[in-house]
Amino acid sequence: MKSPAILLVEDEPGIVDFVRRGLQAEGFAVETEMNGIEGERRALDDSFDLLVLDLMLPGRGGLEILASLRQAKPGMPVIVLTARGEIEDRVVGLDAGAVDYLVKPFSLAELAARVRVQLRLAKQATTGTLRSGDIEVNLLTRQVHRAGEDVRLSTTEFELLVYLLRHSGRVLSREQILSAVWGYEHDPATNIVDVYIGYLRRKLNLPDDPAPIYTVRAVGYRLGDGA
């Protein structure tokens, strides 16, 4: 089976070596470029499954590269790496077309987990649209609607909703959701699944119609099919 091909565009040699070695150890084929001009050319001209991109690059900035990719390869997942940690910078990067965002310094295990999630979502995107009741998700454009109304979700909220939609009507344990969406194994100390279910419910709620995400006591959650 062919290893997923990843292009890393980053100008700090230490990070390039760290990420390349780490992702290769996880089974990915990794190629690197250290300036924006050549990185953009490779991303546009060559065949990669995912791009890991620094925003601050010599020659051509990461946001310019994202703009080019959004036009030419809208389905290609891009994970942004940057020293910029402010919320405004994250929003700019995500709005420019990135699917995920990691602030330096970061954990290689976390990056690898997010790469796996994004590769899985990109593969699933060929199916086009997911629906359950009045909830509709376009996997290519990443647009979400409920009862015809636009719903703005963060990257993680989107991934969580997609997972619930793909298993609509089924009870999913917290452990299943944690593994599928975050790429983590069982961690009894974390309540991140419950927190993000709460976020998702609030965004999908309608004035007289709560989000159809139901808690199954002592097990987990289910999307659809009534309380």
Side-chain angles (χ1 to χ4, degrees), residues 21 24 64 76 84 99 108 119 123 127 129 134 204:
R21 288 173 181 268
Q24 285 174 341
E64 295 174 288
M76 183 178 182
R84 297 176 175 179
V99 296
L108 196 285
L119 288 173
K123 187 175 181 181
T127 60
T129 302
D134 59 1
L204 290 172

Side-chain angles (χ1 to χ4, degrees), residues 115-216:
V115 166
R116 285 190 290 268
V117 166
Q118 295 305 331
L119 288 173
R120 184 166 61 246
L121 285 173
K123 187 175 181 181
Q124 293 169 349
T126 56
T127 60
T129 302
L130 292 175
R131 293 185 184 87
S132 178
D134 59 1
I135 299 172
E136 179 177 303
V137 171
N138 185 308
L139 294 169
L140 184 59
T141 65
R142 302 176 74 85
Q143 290 179 308
V144 178
H145 294 92
R146 183 170 188 216
E149 296 293 320
D150 184 52
V151 181
R152 297 294 299 271
L153 300 180
S154 71
T155 298
T156 303
E157 291 163 353
F158 179 85
E159 292 164 6
L160 175 57
L161 178 59
V162 166
Y163 185 67
L164 294 174
L165 282 167
R166 288 195 176 280
H167 301 85
S168 182
R170 287 176 51 188
V171 178
L172 300 168
S173 70
R174 289 173 176 81
E175 291 78 12
Q176 287 175 302
I177 297 170
L178 187 67
S179 176
V181 178
W182 282 269
Y184 301 158
E185 295 305 315
H186 175 63
D187 181 358
T190 184
N191 68 339
I192 194 168
V193 172
D194 307 280
V195 169
Y196 271 85
I197 287 286
Y199 293 161
L200 193 54
R201 279 173 168 158
R202 283 195 289 276
K203 291 191 176 181
L204 290 172
N205 280 345
L206 296 176
D208 300 312
D209 191 5
I213 301 174
Y214 304 103
T215 301
V216 180

Side-chain angles (χ1 to χ4, degrees), residues 52-92:
V52 178
L53 177 69
D54 186 29
L55 285 188
M56 303 295 289
L57 292 164
R60 190 158 174 82
L63 291 178
E64 295 174 288
I65 296 172
L66 278 169
S68 298
L69 280 172
R70 180 178 246 180
Q71 294 251 325
K73 294 184 175 181
M76 183 178 182
V78 181
I79 297 177
V80 164
L81 302 179
T82 180
R84 297 176 175 179
E86 292 78 6
I87 292 296
E88 293 79 5
D89 291 318
R90 299 187 194 203
V91 170
V92 168

Side-chain angles (χ1 to χ4, degrees), residues 21-46:
R21 288 173 181 268
L23 291 181
Q24 285 174 341
E26 294 284 338
F28 301 111
V30 183
E31 296 190 35
T32 64
E33 293 294 339
M34 296 183 67
N35 72 79
I37 294 173
E38 192 61 17
E40 181 182 57
R41 185 193 68 76
R42 294 286 311 279
L44 293 173
D45 294 347
D46 297 345

